[in-house]
Amino acid sequence: MLMSASSDFIALCREQIALLTQGLGATLSIVYLTQELVEAPSSEAKLIPVVIYPETALLPPGEETAEVTVVHKQLQVGNVFILPNDRRRLLTAESESPTSSQQSEASQPHLKEEYLFSGNQIVLPLVYEGVMMGLLVTGRQDRAWNEHEESQIQQIAQTLAIACILDQRRAWFEEQLREQQILQEKQRDLLDNLLHQFRNPLTALRTFGKLLLKRLRPGDSNRDVANSIVRESDRLQELLQQFDQVIDLTETDLAPLHLPEHEVFVEATIQKDAKPPLLLPGMGDKTVDCSLADILEPLLISAKAIAQERKLKLITEIKHNSPLVRANIKALREVLTNIIDNALKYTPTGGKILIQAGQEKANFQGIVISDNGPGIPPEDLEHLGERHYRGVQAQTEIPGTGLGLAIAKQLIEQMQGKIEVFSPAINSKLTSPNAPGTTFIIWLPKV
Protein backbone atom coordinates (compact mmCIF):
# COMPACT_ATOMS: atom_id res chain seq x y z
CA MET A 1 0.00 0.00 0.00
CA LEU A 2 1.37 3.40 -0.96
CA MET A 3 1.91 5.85 1.84
CA SER A 4 0.21 9.24 1.83
CA ALA A 5 0.23 12.14 4.25
CA SER A 6 -2.88 14.24 4.70
CA SER A 7 -2.78 17.87 5.74
CA ASP A 8 -4.05 16.86 9.19
CA PHE A 9 -1.17 14.43 9.66
CA ILE A 10 1.37 17.01 8.48
CA ALA A 11 -0.08 19.53 10.95
CA LEU A 12 0.34 16.97 13.74
CA CYS A 13 3.95 16.37 12.68
CA ARG A 14 4.63 20.10 12.84
CA GLU A 15 3.13 20.32 16.32
CA GLN A 16 5.31 17.44 17.52
CA ILE A 17 8.40 19.02 15.97
CA ALA A 18 7.46 22.27 17.72
CA LEU A 19 7.54 20.34 21.02
CA LEU A 20 11.02 19.07 20.15
CA THR A 21 12.21 22.52 19.19
CA GLN A 22 10.64 24.66 21.89
CA GLY A 23 10.54 22.14 24.72
CA LEU A 24 13.75 20.17 24.20
CA GLY A 25 15.90 22.58 22.21
CA ALA A 26 16.18 20.48 19.04
CA THR A 27 17.85 22.38 16.21
CA LEU A 28 17.06 19.87 13.48
CA SER A 29 14.03 17.58 13.15
CA ILE A 30 12.76 15.56 10.20
CA VAL A 31 9.80 13.21 9.77
CA TYR A 32 10.20 10.68 6.97
CA LEU A 33 7.52 8.39 5.59
CA THR A 34 8.25 5.20 3.71
CA GLN A 35 7.05 5.15 0.12
CA GLU A 36 5.13 1.99 0.97
CA LEU A 37 4.19 0.27 4.19
CA VAL A 38 6.92 -2.29 4.97
CA GLU A 39 7.52 -4.86 7.65
CA ALA A 40 9.95 -3.61 10.30
CA PRO A 41 12.69 -6.16 9.49
CA SER A 42 12.60 -5.20 5.80
CA SER A 43 16.06 -4.65 4.39
CA GLU A 44 15.06 -1.86 2.02
CA ALA A 45 12.59 1.00 2.13
CA LYS A 46 12.47 4.31 0.28
CA LEU A 47 11.83 7.26 2.54
CA ILE A 48 10.43 10.66 1.67
CA PRO A 49 10.69 13.66 4.04
CA VAL A 50 7.29 15.20 4.73
CA VAL A 51 8.17 17.71 7.47
CA ILE A 52 11.59 19.31 8.03
CA TYR A 53 12.76 21.88 10.58
CA PRO A 54 14.43 24.12 9.56
CA GLU A 55 12.58 23.77 6.25
CA THR A 56 15.67 24.12 4.05
CA ALA A 57 17.95 21.99 6.17
CA LEU A 58 18.25 18.99 3.90
CA LEU A 59 16.70 20.01 0.62
CA PRO A 60 18.69 21.66 -2.16
CA PRO A 61 17.13 24.76 -3.76
CA GLY A 62 14.48 23.95 -6.34
CA GLU A 63 13.72 20.43 -5.07
CA GLU A 64 10.41 19.72 -3.37
CA THR A 65 11.23 16.26 -2.06
CA ALA A 66 14.28 14.18 -1.37
CA GLU A 67 14.54 10.40 -1.37
CA VAL A 68 16.42 8.50 1.25
CA THR A 69 17.03 4.74 1.25
CA VAL A 70 17.28 2.35 4.14
CA VAL A 71 19.56 -0.38 2.87
CA HIS A 72 20.35 -3.29 5.20
CA LYS A 73 21.18 -1.47 8.44
CA GLN A 74 22.13 1.96 7.20
CA LEU A 75 20.02 5.07 6.64
CA GLN A 76 21.78 6.98 3.91
CA VAL A 77 21.47 10.72 4.31
CA GLY A 78 24.96 11.51 3.25
CA ASN A 79 25.98 8.21 5.00
CA VAL A 80 25.37 9.81 8.38
CA PHE A 81 23.03 7.54 10.35
CA ILE A 82 23.61 3.89 11.26
CA LEU A 83 20.60 1.79 12.26
CA PRO A 84 21.32 -1.03 14.72
CA ASN A 85 19.60 -4.38 14.30
CA ASP A 86 16.81 -3.64 16.76
CA ARG A 87 14.84 -0.85 15.14
CA ARG A 88 12.24 -0.80 17.89
CA ARG A 89 14.52 0.71 20.54
CA LEU A 90 15.88 4.22 20.77
CA LEU A 91 18.53 4.70 18.12
CA THR A 92 21.50 7.01 18.22
CA ALA A 93 23.94 7.92 15.49
CA GLU A 94 27.25 6.12 15.53
CA SER A 95 30.47 7.99 15.20
CA GLU A 96 31.85 8.37 11.70
CA SER A 97 35.30 7.80 10.41
CA PRO A 98 37.04 10.82 8.81
CA THR A 99 36.94 9.03 5.49
CA SER A 100 33.19 8.49 5.56
CA SER A 101 32.62 12.07 6.70
CA GLN A 102 34.69 13.44 3.87
CA GLN A 103 32.86 11.26 1.38
CA SER A 104 29.55 12.47 2.80
CA GLU A 105 30.46 16.11 2.38
CA ALA A 106 31.71 15.47 -1.14
CA SER A 107 28.57 13.62 -2.19
CA GLN A 108 26.17 16.08 -0.50
CA PRO A 109 27.59 19.55 -1.23
CA HIS A 110 24.25 21.25 -0.56
CA LEU A 111 24.20 20.22 3.12
CA LYS A 112 25.22 23.04 5.42
CA GLU A 113 27.99 22.09 7.80
CA GLU A 114 25.99 22.97 10.91
CA TYR A 115 23.31 20.43 9.92
CA LEU A 116 25.65 17.46 9.58
CA PHE A 117 24.77 14.91 12.24
CA SER A 118 26.88 14.09 15.26
CA GLY A 119 26.46 12.05 18.43
CA ASN A 120 23.70 14.38 19.66
CA GLN A 121 21.21 13.13 17.07
CA ILE A 122 18.50 10.49 17.55
CA VAL A 123 16.84 8.33 14.89
CA LEU A 124 13.59 6.60 15.82
CA PRO A 125 11.61 4.33 13.48
CA LEU A 126 7.87 4.94 13.30
CA VAL A 127 6.72 1.37 13.89
CA TYR A 128 3.22 0.16 14.73
CA GLU A 129 2.24 -3.51 15.04
CA GLY A 130 5.40 -4.61 13.28
CA VAL A 131 4.99 -2.26 10.32
CA MET A 132 7.56 0.44 9.69
CA MET A 133 6.01 3.63 8.37
CA GLY A 134 8.87 6.08 8.60
CA LEU A 135 11.50 7.69 10.77
CA LEU A 136 11.74 10.54 13.21
CA VAL A 137 15.15 12.23 13.15
CA THR A 138 15.98 14.92 15.67
CA GLY A 139 19.12 16.45 17.11
CA ARG A 140 20.72 19.42 18.83
CA GLN A 141 24.25 20.79 18.77
CA ASP A 142 24.94 22.10 22.28
CA ARG A 143 24.46 18.95 24.40
CA ALA A 144 23.55 15.28 24.41
CA TRP A 145 20.13 13.95 25.37
CA ASN A 146 19.45 12.69 28.88
CA GLU A 147 17.30 9.69 29.73
CA HIS A 148 14.16 11.73 30.47
CA GLU A 149 14.43 13.59 27.16
CA GLU A 150 14.95 10.34 25.28
CA SER A 151 11.74 9.00 26.86
CA GLN A 152 9.84 12.09 25.71
CA ILE A 153 11.18 11.69 22.18
CA GLN A 154 10.10 8.04 22.22
CA GLN A 155 6.57 9.11 23.16
CA ILE A 156 6.53 11.65 20.31
CA ALA A 157 7.65 8.95 17.87
CA GLN A 158 4.93 6.60 19.13
CA THR A 159 2.33 9.36 18.74
CA LEU A 160 3.46 9.92 15.16
CA ALA A 161 3.37 6.18 14.45
CA ILE A 162 -0.21 5.82 15.71
CA ALA A 163 -1.29 8.96 13.85
CA CYS A 164 0.37 7.68 10.70
CA ILE A 165 -1.38 4.30 10.72
CA LEU A 166 -4.73 6.01 11.32
CA ASP A 167 -4.00 8.37 8.46
CA GLN A 168 -3.19 5.43 6.18
CA ARG A 169 -6.40 3.67 7.12
CA ARG A 170 -8.35 6.83 6.36
CA ALA A 171 -6.61 7.11 2.97
CA TRP A 172 -7.35 3.45 2.23
CA PHE A 173 -11.03 3.83 3.05
CA GLU A 174 -11.29 6.97 0.92
CA GLU A 175 -9.62 5.18 -1.99
CA GLN A 176 -12.05 2.30 -1.63
CA LEU A 177 -14.92 4.80 -1.57
CA ARG A 178 -13.64 6.47 -4.75
CA GLU A 179 -13.35 3.15 -6.55
CA GLN A 180 -16.81 2.12 -5.39
CA GLN A 181 -18.28 5.42 -6.59
CA ILE A 182 -16.63 5.04 -10.00
CA LEU A 183 -17.96 1.50 -10.31
CA GLN A 184 -21.46 2.57 -9.23
CA GLU A 185 -21.46 5.42 -11.75
CA LYS A 186 -20.47 3.03 -14.54
CA GLN A 187 -23.09 0.52 -13.46
CA ARG A 188 -25.75 3.23 -13.29
CA ASP A 189 -24.86 4.50 -16.76
CA LEU A 190 -24.96 1.00 -18.18
CA LEU A 191 -28.31 0.31 -16.52
CA ASP A 192 -29.71 3.58 -17.89
CA ASN A 193 -28.51 2.63 -21.36
CA LEU A 194 -30.03 -0.84 -21.20
CA LEU A 195 -33.36 0.45 -19.91
CA HIS A 196 -33.47 3.06 -22.64
CA GLN A 197 -32.72 0.49 -25.32
CA PHE A 198 -35.39 -1.79 -23.85
CA ARG A 199 -38.10 0.78 -24.58
CA ASN A 200 -37.71 0.75 -28.35
CA PRO A 201 -38.35 -2.97 -29.01
CA LEU A 202 -41.09 -2.93 -26.36
CA THR A 203 -42.87 -0.08 -28.18
CA ALA A 204 -42.50 -1.93 -31.48
CA LEU A 205 -43.81 -5.17 -29.96
CA ARG A 206 -46.86 -3.41 -28.53
CA THR A 207 -47.53 -1.70 -31.87
CA PHE A 208 -47.33 -4.97 -33.80
CA GLY A 209 -49.74 -6.54 -31.33
CA LYS A 210 -52.29 -3.75 -31.81
CA LEU A 211 -51.96 -3.89 -35.60
CA LEU A 212 -52.42 -7.65 -35.52
CA LEU A 213 -55.51 -7.23 -33.36
CA LYS A 214 -57.05 -4.80 -35.86
CA ARG A 215 -56.50 -7.19 -38.76
CA LEU A 216 -58.07 -10.20 -37.10
CA ARG A 217 -61.78 -10.72 -37.56
CA PRO A 218 -64.08 -10.95 -34.55
CA GLY A 219 -64.26 -14.53 -33.37
CA ASP A 220 -60.84 -15.41 -34.70
CA SER A 221 -59.10 -17.70 -32.19
CA ASN A 222 -55.86 -15.72 -32.67
CA ARG A 223 -57.42 -12.57 -31.21
CA ASP A 224 -56.70 -13.93 -27.72
CA VAL A 225 -53.03 -14.22 -28.64
CA ALA A 226 -52.96 -10.67 -30.02
CA ASN A 227 -54.77 -9.37 -26.94
CA SER A 228 -52.23 -11.13 -24.74
CA ILE A 229 -49.35 -9.50 -26.62
CA VAL A 230 -50.84 -6.04 -26.11
CA ARG A 231 -51.76 -6.73 -22.48
CA GLU A 232 -48.33 -8.04 -21.52
CA SER A 233 -46.65 -5.20 -23.41
CA ASP A 234 -48.69 -2.71 -21.41
CA ARG A 235 -47.68 -4.52 -18.24
CA LEU A 236 -44.01 -4.32 -19.18
CA GLN A 237 -44.48 -0.61 -19.90
CA GLU A 238 -45.94 -0.08 -16.44
CA LEU A 239 -43.10 -1.99 -14.80
CA LEU A 240 -40.58 0.05 -16.78
CA GLN A 241 -42.16 3.29 -15.55
CA GLN A 242 -42.03 2.05 -11.95
CA PHE A 243 -38.39 1.08 -12.43
CA ASP A 244 -37.64 4.58 -13.72
CA GLN A 245 -39.17 6.08 -10.59
CA VAL A 246 -37.07 3.86 -8.34
CA ILE A 247 -33.77 4.78 -10.00
CA ASP A 248 -34.67 8.41 -10.74
CA LEU A 249 -31.76 10.06 -8.95
CA THR A 250 -31.53 13.79 -8.36
CA GLU A 251 -28.53 15.88 -9.39
CA THR A 252 -27.40 15.84 -5.77
CA ASP A 253 -27.52 12.05 -5.71
CA LEU A 254 -25.56 11.85 -8.95
CA ALA A 255 -22.83 14.27 -7.84
CA PRO A 256 -19.63 12.53 -6.70
CA LEU A 257 -18.37 13.10 -3.17
CA HIS A 258 -15.38 15.39 -2.82
CA LEU A 259 -12.74 15.71 -0.16
CA PRO A 260 -12.60 18.96 1.81
CA GLU A 261 -10.89 21.75 -0.14
CA HIS A 262 -8.14 22.11 2.47
CA GLU A 263 -7.15 18.45 2.18
CA VAL A 264 -3.62 18.12 0.77
CA PHE A 265 -1.70 14.91 0.18
CA VAL A 266 2.00 14.22 -0.03
CA GLU A 267 2.30 10.81 -1.62
CA ALA A 268 4.26 8.64 -4.01
CA THR A 269 1.86 7.60 -6.74
CA ILE A 270 1.98 4.58 -9.01
CA GLN A 271 -0.19 4.33 -12.12
CA LYS A 272 -2.78 1.62 -11.59
CA ASP A 273 -4.15 -0.52 -14.36
CA ALA A 274 -7.33 1.11 -15.59
CA LYS A 275 -10.46 -0.96 -15.20
CA PRO A 276 -12.13 -1.86 -18.47
CA PRO A 277 -15.06 0.45 -19.20
CA LEU A 278 -18.57 -0.89 -19.14
CA LEU A 279 -19.67 -1.20 -22.76
CA LEU A 280 -22.68 0.34 -24.38
CA PRO A 281 -25.08 -2.07 -26.09
CA GLY A 282 -23.58 -3.45 -29.27
CA MET A 283 -20.02 -2.34 -28.61
CA GLY A 284 -18.77 -5.88 -28.12
CA ASP A 285 -18.96 -6.41 -31.89
CA LYS A 286 -16.36 -5.42 -34.47
CA THR A 287 -16.89 -2.94 -37.29
CA VAL A 288 -17.57 -4.45 -40.71
CA ASP A 289 -18.36 -3.29 -44.26
CA CYS A 290 -22.12 -2.91 -44.55
CA SER A 291 -24.92 -1.32 -46.54
CA LEU A 292 -26.99 1.46 -44.98
CA ALA A 293 -30.05 0.28 -46.90
CA ASP A 294 -29.74 -3.22 -45.45
CA ILE A 295 -29.38 -1.87 -41.91
CA LEU A 296 -32.40 0.40 -42.29
CA GLU A 297 -34.72 -2.23 -43.77
CA PRO A 298 -35.88 -3.97 -40.53
CA LEU A 299 -35.97 -0.65 -38.66
CA LEU A 300 -38.32 0.89 -41.23
CA ILE A 301 -40.81 -1.97 -40.81
CA SER A 302 -41.18 -1.10 -37.11
CA ALA A 303 -41.12 2.66 -37.79
CA LYS A 304 -43.93 2.41 -40.38
CA ALA A 305 -46.08 0.40 -37.99
CA ILE A 306 -45.62 2.96 -35.21
CA ALA A 307 -46.20 5.87 -37.62
CA GLN A 308 -49.43 4.25 -38.80
CA GLU A 309 -50.70 3.88 -35.24
CA ARG A 310 -49.83 7.49 -34.39
CA LYS A 311 -51.29 8.82 -37.66
CA LEU A 312 -47.94 10.05 -38.96
CA LYS A 313 -46.74 10.00 -42.57
CA LEU A 314 -43.38 8.25 -42.95
CA ILE A 315 -41.54 8.98 -46.21
CA THR A 316 -38.43 7.03 -47.21
CA GLU A 317 -35.85 7.77 -49.91
CA ILE A 318 -33.26 4.99 -49.84
CA LYS A 319 -30.47 4.58 -52.41
CA HIS A 320 -29.70 0.87 -52.65
CA ASN A 321 -26.55 1.21 -54.74
CA SER A 322 -24.68 3.54 -52.41
CA PRO A 323 -21.09 2.75 -51.35
CA LEU A 324 -20.64 0.57 -48.27
CA VAL A 325 -19.73 2.07 -44.91
CA ARG A 326 -17.57 0.80 -42.08
CA ALA A 327 -19.71 0.34 -38.98
CA ASN A 328 -20.70 -1.82 -36.05
CA ILE A 329 -24.05 -3.13 -37.30
CA LYS A 330 -25.66 -3.70 -33.91
CA ALA A 331 -24.50 -0.35 -32.53
CA LEU A 332 -25.58 1.53 -35.68
CA ARG A 333 -29.05 0.02 -35.43
CA GLU A 334 -29.25 1.26 -31.85
CA VAL A 335 -28.28 4.75 -33.03
CA LEU A 336 -30.85 4.83 -35.84
CA THR A 337 -33.55 3.35 -33.61
CA ASN A 338 -32.99 6.07 -31.01
CA ILE A 339 -33.14 8.94 -33.49
CA ILE A 340 -36.09 7.54 -35.46
CA ASP A 341 -37.92 6.91 -32.18
CA ASN A 342 -37.37 10.58 -31.20
CA ALA A 343 -38.79 11.73 -34.53
CA LEU A 344 -41.86 9.53 -34.08
CA LYS A 345 -42.28 10.60 -30.47
CA TYR A 346 -41.97 14.37 -30.89
CA THR A 347 -43.81 14.79 -34.19
CA PRO A 348 -47.48 15.63 -33.53
CA THR A 349 -50.39 13.72 -35.07
CA GLY A 350 -50.68 14.37 -38.79
CA GLY A 351 -46.99 15.26 -39.08
CA LYS A 352 -44.39 13.95 -41.50
CA ILE A 353 -41.07 12.18 -41.09
CA LEU A 354 -38.54 11.79 -43.90
CA ILE A 355 -35.75 9.20 -43.83
CA GLN A 356 -33.11 9.41 -46.56
CA ALA A 357 -30.04 7.25 -47.11
CA GLY A 358 -27.24 7.75 -49.60
CA GLN A 359 -26.12 11.32 -48.95
CA GLU A 360 -22.40 11.83 -49.53
CA LYS A 361 -19.91 14.23 -48.02
CA ALA A 362 -16.15 13.90 -48.49
CA ASN A 363 -15.36 10.35 -47.35
CA PHE A 364 -18.65 9.87 -45.50
CA GLN A 365 -22.04 8.34 -46.26
CA GLY A 366 -25.03 9.87 -44.52
CA ILE A 367 -28.48 8.97 -43.26
CA VAL A 368 -30.86 11.91 -42.90
CA ILE A 369 -33.83 11.82 -40.51
CA SER A 370 -36.08 14.89 -40.68
CA ASP A 371 -39.43 15.72 -39.09
CA ASN A 372 -41.81 18.68 -38.96
CA GLY A 373 -42.24 18.66 -35.20
CA PRO A 374 -41.84 21.67 -32.89
CA GLY A 375 -38.06 21.77 -33.37
CA ILE A 376 -35.30 22.26 -30.81
CA PRO A 377 -34.69 25.69 -29.20
CA PRO A 378 -31.22 27.17 -29.86
CA GLU A 379 -30.39 27.07 -26.14
CA ASP A 380 -30.97 23.30 -26.12
CA LEU A 381 -29.01 22.50 -29.30
CA GLU A 382 -25.62 23.02 -27.65
CA HIS A 383 -26.53 20.53 -24.89
CA LEU A 384 -27.69 17.71 -27.16
CA GLY A 385 -25.75 14.58 -26.38
CA GLU A 386 -25.44 15.29 -22.65
CA ARG A 387 -26.72 12.47 -20.51
CA HIS A 388 -30.14 13.06 -18.91
CA TYR A 389 -30.52 16.47 -20.58
CA ARG A 390 -33.99 17.02 -22.06
CA GLY A 391 -34.22 20.79 -22.13
CA VAL A 392 -37.64 22.16 -23.07
CA GLN A 393 -38.99 18.63 -23.59
CA ALA A 394 -38.75 18.01 -19.86
CA GLN A 395 -41.68 20.43 -19.45
CA THR A 396 -43.96 18.34 -21.70
CA GLU A 397 -45.92 15.19 -20.96
CA ILE A 398 -43.87 13.21 -23.49
CA PRO A 399 -41.90 10.58 -21.55
CA GLY A 400 -38.14 10.43 -21.93
CA THR A 401 -34.86 10.05 -20.10
CA GLY A 402 -32.51 12.29 -22.08
CA LEU A 403 -30.31 9.31 -22.91
CA GLY A 404 -31.14 8.44 -26.51
CA LEU A 405 -28.98 11.09 -28.17
CA ALA A 406 -26.19 10.66 -25.62
CA ILE A 407 -26.01 6.95 -26.43
CA ALA A 408 -26.22 7.64 -30.17
CA LYS A 409 -23.46 10.26 -30.05
CA GLN A 410 -21.08 8.02 -28.14
CA LEU A 411 -21.69 5.00 -30.36
CA ILE A 412 -21.22 6.98 -33.59
CA GLU A 413 -18.00 8.58 -32.33
CA GLN A 414 -16.64 5.14 -31.49
CA MET A 415 -17.28 4.19 -35.13
CA GLN A 416 -15.29 7.27 -36.28
CA GLY A 417 -18.49 8.93 -37.45
CA LYS A 418 -20.38 12.04 -36.38
CA ILE A 419 -23.91 13.39 -35.94
CA GLU A 420 -25.09 16.78 -37.17
CA VAL A 421 -28.28 18.40 -35.88
CA PHE A 422 -30.23 21.18 -37.58
CA SER A 423 -33.28 22.94 -36.21
CA PRO A 424 -35.23 24.23 -38.07
CA ALA A 425 -35.01 21.20 -40.35
CA ILE A 426 -33.08 21.62 -43.60
CA ASN A 427 -35.83 20.01 -45.71
CA SER A 428 -38.23 22.77 -46.71
CA LYS A 429 -40.76 20.23 -48.07
CA LEU A 430 -41.64 19.22 -44.53
CA THR A 431 -41.34 22.40 -42.54
CA SER A 432 -43.50 25.46 -42.00
CA PRO A 433 -43.28 28.46 -39.66
CA ASN A 434 -45.48 26.63 -37.14
CA ALA A 435 -43.62 23.34 -37.54
CA PRO A 436 -39.90 24.13 -37.94
CA GLY A 437 -38.89 20.51 -37.36
CA THR A 438 -35.45 18.99 -36.84
CA THR A 439 -32.95 17.21 -39.07
CA PHE A 440 -30.38 14.67 -37.85
CA ILE A 441 -27.63 13.50 -40.20
CA ILE A 442 -25.59 10.45 -39.21
CA TRP A 443 -22.28 10.39 -41.07
CA LEU A 444 -20.23 7.19 -41.30
CA PRO A 445 -16.88 6.62 -43.05
CA LYS A 446 -17.13 5.05 -46.49
CA VAL A 447 -15.22 1.87 -47.23
Side-chain angles (χ1 to χ4, degrees), residues 5 30 101 107 114-115 149 154 182 184 221 263 316 354 402:
I30 310 172
S101 178
S107 61
E114 60 266 32
Y115 295 139
E149 291 171 331
Q154 282 182 310
I182 291 172
Q184 288 177 346
S221 59
E263 200 71 48
T316 59
L354 174 62

Side-chain angles (χ1 to χ4, degrees), residues 193-209 229 232-234 236-237 240 281 298-299 302-303 305-306 310 333-334 337-338 341:
N193 294 342
L194 293 175
L195 285 174
H196 186 274
Q197 301 309 94
F198 179 75
R199 289 183 180 85
N200 296 327
L202 176 60
T203 300
L205 180 64
R206 181 175 180 274
T207 302
F208 286 137
I229 293 175
E232 295 305 319
S233 298
D234 290 340
L236 286 175
Q237 198 83 303
L240 191 59
L299 305 182
S302 298
I306 296 173
R310 297 180 182 177
R333 281 180 176 160
E334 296 291 352
T337 299
N338 282 334
D341 179 68

Side-chain angles (χ1 to χ4, degrees), residues 91-140:
L91 305 178
T92 58
E94 295 184 2
S95 59
E96 300 172 333
S97 64
T99 302
S100 64
S101 178
Q102 292 172 2
Q103 291 175 347
S104 171
E105 293 181 33
S107 61
Q108 302 285 344
H110 60 273
L111 294 180
K112 297 182 180 180
E113 184 177 357
E114 60 266 32
Y115 295 139
L116 294 178
F117 303 113
S118 65
N120 295 338
Q121 270 66 49
I122 293 178
V123 182
L124 276 174
L126 305 182
V127 177
Y128 185 81
E129 294 182 350
V131 178
M132 179 176 176
M133 295 164 287
L135 291 175
L136 170 63
V137 178
T138 188
R140 60 188 180 191

Side-chain angles (χ1 to χ4, degrees), residues 46-330:
K46 289 186 177 180
L47 297 169
I48 298 176
V50 292
V51 179
I52 301 174
Y53 175 83
E55 292 184 358
T56 58
L58 287 175
L59 296 182
E63 290 190 16
E64 297 179 357
T65 60
E67 282 196 2
V68 192
T69 306
V70 179
V71 182
H72 300 294
K73 300 175 183 178
Q74 180 173 342
L75 172 66
Q76 296 180 343
V77 185
N79 295 325
V80 175
F81 291 124
I82 302 298
L83 292 179
N85 290 331
D86 188 358
R87 294 181 178 177
R88 293 175 179 271
R89 64 185 178 84
L90 191 67
L91 305 178
T92 58
E94 295 184 2
S95 59
E96 300 172 333
S97 64
T99 302
S100 64
S101 178
Q102 292 172 2
Q103 291 175 347
S104 171
E105 293 181 33
S107 61
Q108 302 285 344
H110 60 273
L111 294 180
K112 297 182 180 180
E113 184 177 357
E114 60 266 32
Y115 295 139
L116 294 178
F117 303 113
S118 65
N120 295 338
Q121 270 66 49
I122 293 178
V123 182
L124 276 174
L126 305 182
V127 177
Y128 185 81
E129 294 182 350
V131 178
M132 179 176 176
M133 295 164 287
L135 291 175
L136 170 63
V137 178
T138 188
R140 60 188 180 191
Q141 299 174 343
D142 54 348
R143 63 192 185 279
W145 305 98
N146 59 42
E147 185 176 346
H148 176 68
E149 291 171 331
E150 290 177 352
S151 176
Q152 288 182 292
I153 296 173
Q154 282 182 310
Q155 292 177 3
I156 290 175
Q158 187 63 21
T159 298
L160 291 175
I162 295 173
C164 185
I165 199 67
L166 292 176
D167 200 45
Q168 296 314 302
R169 288 173 180 172
R170 173 205 53 76
W172 184 84
F173 282 122
E174 287 183 349
E175 179 63 23
Q176 294 299 307
L177 176 61
R178 288 190 189 96
E179 293 182 359
Q180 187 65 25
Q181 286 176 332
I182 291 172
L183 179 60
Q184 288 177 346
E185 288 174 6
K186 290 181 178 179
Q187 290 174 332
R188 185 186 63 240
D189 287 346
L190 180 60
L191 181 59
D192 287 343
N193 294 342
L194 293 175
L195 285 174
H196 186 274
Q197 301 309 94
F198 179 75
R199 289 183 180 85
N200 296 327
L202 176 60
T203 300
L205 180 64
R206 181 175 180 274
T207 302
F208 286 137
K210 294 180 71 173
L211 290 175
L212 180 61
L213 191 60
K214 290 180 180 179
R215 295 179 181 181
L216 295 175
R217 297 177 180 179
D220 192 317
S221 59
N222 290 320
R223 287 185 65 86
D224 290 339
V225 176
N227 273 318
S228 297
I229 293 175
V230 175
R231 182 181 65 253
E232 295 305 319
S233 298
D234 290 340
R235 175 58 180 156
L236 286 175
Q237 198 83 303
E238 292 174 2
L239 292 174
L240 191 59
Q241 292 175 356
Q242 293 177 12
F243 201 96
D244 283 338
Q245 294 174 358
V246 171
I247 66 170
D248 187 18
L249 304 178
T250 65
E251 292 184 2
T252 303
D253 297 324
L254 295 173
L257 297 178
H258 296 285
L259 295 175
E261 293 183 359
H262 69 276
E263 200 71 48
V264 178
F265 292 93
V266 178
E267 61 182 337
T269 59
I270 293 180
Q271 183 67 34
K272 296 183 178 179
D273 294 335
K275 294 182 178 179
L278 297 175
L279 299 179
L280 289 168
M283 287 315 295
D285 299 338
K286 296 181 179 179
T287 57
V288 297
D289 300 346
C290 54
S291 165
L292 292 180
D294 292 342
I295 292 177
L296 276 169
E297 183 178 358
L299 305 182
L300 293 178
I301 296 174
S302 298
K304 288 177 180 178
I306 296 173
Q308 180 181 345
E309 184 199 8
R310 297 180 182 177
K311 297 180 174 58
L312 301 173
K313 185 175 182 180
L314 180 63
I315 307 168
T316 59
E317 297 177 0
I318 311 298
K319 295 181 181 179
H320 291 273
N321 58 347
S322 298
L324 300 179
V325 298
R326 189 76 178 170
N328 178 324
I329 294 178
K330 187 181 294 185

